[in-house]
C-alpha cells in the first residue's frame, strides 16, 4: 500500500527565513503527489500538486515543491516565510489517477516573529 | 457563499448516543468524502461517494453509516457513540474521483463524554 512519511512533526522558523518541509513516499511505478495546508481551526486547502511533467511545481502563497523520483521525495519549500504561514502542512499521495489520496501525518510549521 | 459546509460545527454528546453530521457542497462536484482527524492531526479517509454511489469504504466500525441523498449532500450517521469517536470530522468534495483537488469543509468537532 502507498504510504507517506513526513519526518518533521514540528518546524519552527523565524519570519522571513526560508523553510523546507520534507516528504517521502513509498516507491511506486507511478505516483501523484500533493501538499495541502490546514490553517488553525479550518479545513485543508490545496497548495500544489504533481501529476506529471515538470518536476518543479509552483503553488499558491509562494510555495513550491520538487518531485525527486530517485529519492522518492516531494519536499515543500518557501524562500521567505510570513507569520500567516503558521499552519499544519500535509503531504499526500495517490498511486493511480483513480486511487484514493493517502495523507501523511502532517508537519506543524510555526513562524516566529 | 460557502463551497463546502458542515453542520453542526461542534457536537458534544454522551457515550451511547446516536448523532448525525450533515455536509453540503455547492460546487457541482460529483465526488464527496468523509475524513476523520484525530487529536494528533492524523487524517484518515472513511468514505467516498461518486454520484451517490459508495466507492471508498475504509475499515470503519459499522456504527458509522454514510448516506448521500443527492450529489450535493453527504451525511454521516454514528450509532452508539464511543469515547474513541471523539475527533474532528471533515467533509470534502472534488470534481471527480481520484487525483482531483479536494475542497474541504470547516470540520465538525465531535466530543463524546
Amino acid at each position: 500500500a502507498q504510504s507517506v512519511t513526513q519526518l518533521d512533526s514540528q518546524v519552527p522558523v523565524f519570519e522571513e527565513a526560508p523553510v523546507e518541509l520534507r516528504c517521502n513516499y513509498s516507491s511506486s511505478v507511478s505516483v501523484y503527489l500533493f501538499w495541502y495546508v490546514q490553517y488553525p481551526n479550518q479545513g485543508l486547502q490545496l497548495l500544489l500538486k504533481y501529476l506529471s511533467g515538470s518536476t518543479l511545481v509552483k503553488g499558491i502563497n509562494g510555495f513550491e515543491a520538487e518531485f525527486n523520483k530517485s529519492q522518492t521525495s516531494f519536499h515543500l519549500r518557501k524562500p521567505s516565510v510570513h507569520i500567516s504561514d503558521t499552519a499544519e502542512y500535509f503531504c499526500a499521495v495517490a498511486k493511480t489517477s483513480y486511487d484514493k489520496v493517502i495523507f501523511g501525518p502532517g508537519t506543524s510549521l510555526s513562524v516566529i516573529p | 457563499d460557502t463551497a463546502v459546509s458542515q453542520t453542526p460545527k461542534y457536537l458534544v454528546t454522551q457515550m451511547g448516543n446516536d448523532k448525525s453530521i450533515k455536509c453540503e457542497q455547492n460546487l457541482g462536484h460529483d465526488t464527496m468524502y468523509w475524513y476523520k482527524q484525530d487529536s494528533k492531526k492524523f487524517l484518515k479517509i472513511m468514505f467516498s461517494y461518486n454520484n451517490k454511489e459508495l466507492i471508498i469504504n475504509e475499515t470503519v466500525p459499522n456504527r458509522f453509516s454514510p448516506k448521500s441523498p443527492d450529489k450535493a449532500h453527504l451525511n454521516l450517521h454514528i450509532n452508539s457513540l464511543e469515547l474513541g469517536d471523539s475527533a474532528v470530522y471533515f467533509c470534502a468534495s472534488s470534481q471527480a474521483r481520484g487525483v482531483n483537488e479536494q475542497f474541504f469543509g470547516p470540520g465538525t468537532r465531535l466530543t463524546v463524554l
Side-chain angles (χ1 to χ4, degrees):
Chain A
Q2 198 62 267
S3 69
V4 184
T5 304
Q6 293 180 249
L7 289 173
D8 307 305
S9 60
Q10 295 184 348
V11 173
V13 62
F14 285 103
E15 194 175 12
E16 297 183 7
V19 70
E20 178 179 85
L21 305 183
R22 296 182 292 168
C23 172
N24 289 88
Y25 61 91
S26 58
S27 181
S28 180
V29 174
S30 64
V31 67
Y32 303 86
L33 295 156
F34 311 81
W35 276 99
Y36 279 82
V37 61
Q38 183 180 24
Y39 298 107
N41 299 311
Q42 294 186 28
L44 282 72
Q45 64 182 87
L46 184 69
L47 273 178
L48 48 81
K49 63 183 177 183
Y50 171 80
L51 301 183
S52 65
S54 172
T55 57
L56 183 62
V57 181
K58 293 192 183 296
I60 61 171
N61 301 341
F63 284 94
E64 63 179 33
E66 185 152 21
F67 170 56
N68 188 320
K69 190 172 183 178
S70 62
Q71 296 186 6
T72 61
S73 68
F74 191 55
H75 300 333
L76 181 71
R77 301 185 187 99
K78 187 170 181 177
S80 174
V81 294
H82 301 136
I83 297 289
S84 58
D85 292 324
T86 294
E88 194 82 19
Y89 290 79
F90 293 92
C91 184
V93 63
K95 188 176 178 180
T96 71
S97 61
Y98 269 80
D99 206 1
K100 63 187 176 189
V101 175
I102 304 295
F103 286 84
T107 295
S108 179
L109 175 64
S110 298
V111 180
I112 305 161
Chain B
D1 263 352
T2 304
V4 182
S5 59
Q6 296 178 228
T7 54
K9 190 167 173 61
Y10 299 96
L11 188 51
V12 181
T13 187
Q14 300 283 340
M15 268 174 45
N17 284 351
D18 303 338
K19 291 292 179 186
S20 291
I21 307 171
K22 295 187 176 183
C23 177
E24 177 181 1
Q25 55 96 1
N26 63 5
L27 298 167
H29 287 168
D30 285 346
T31 309
M32 296 185 73
Y33 312 80
W34 276 114
Y35 287 91
K36 178 180 180 181
Q37 187 174 49
D38 64 23
S39 58
K40 295 184 178 179
K41 302 279 188 177
F42 186 70
L43 195 70
K44 188 177 188 310
I45 190 166
M46 301 172 71
F47 304 102
S48 178
Y49 273 75
N50 187 64
N51 280 321
K52 300 197 300 174
E53 178 188 351
L54 182 66
I55 57 171
I56 295 175
N57 186 358
E58 291 295 289
T59 308
V60 174
N62 56 17
R63 299 183 293 104
F64 290 79
S65 52
K67 189 166 285 187
S68 182
D70 56 59
K71 247 177 37 167
H73 295 85
L74 179 60
N75 303 323
L76 183 65
H77 187 76
I78 316 169
N79 288 327
S80 304
L81 277 155
E82 300 177 357
L83 293 176
D85 297 332
S86 294
V88 181
Y89 291 84
F90 285 99
C91 176
S93 73
S94 62
Q95 190 168 18
R97 61 184 296 182
V99 296
N100 295 278
E101 177 179 1
Q102 295 186 28
F103 293 78
F104 283 76
T108 295
R109 183 174 293 276
L110 171 65
T111 303
V112 182
L113 303 174

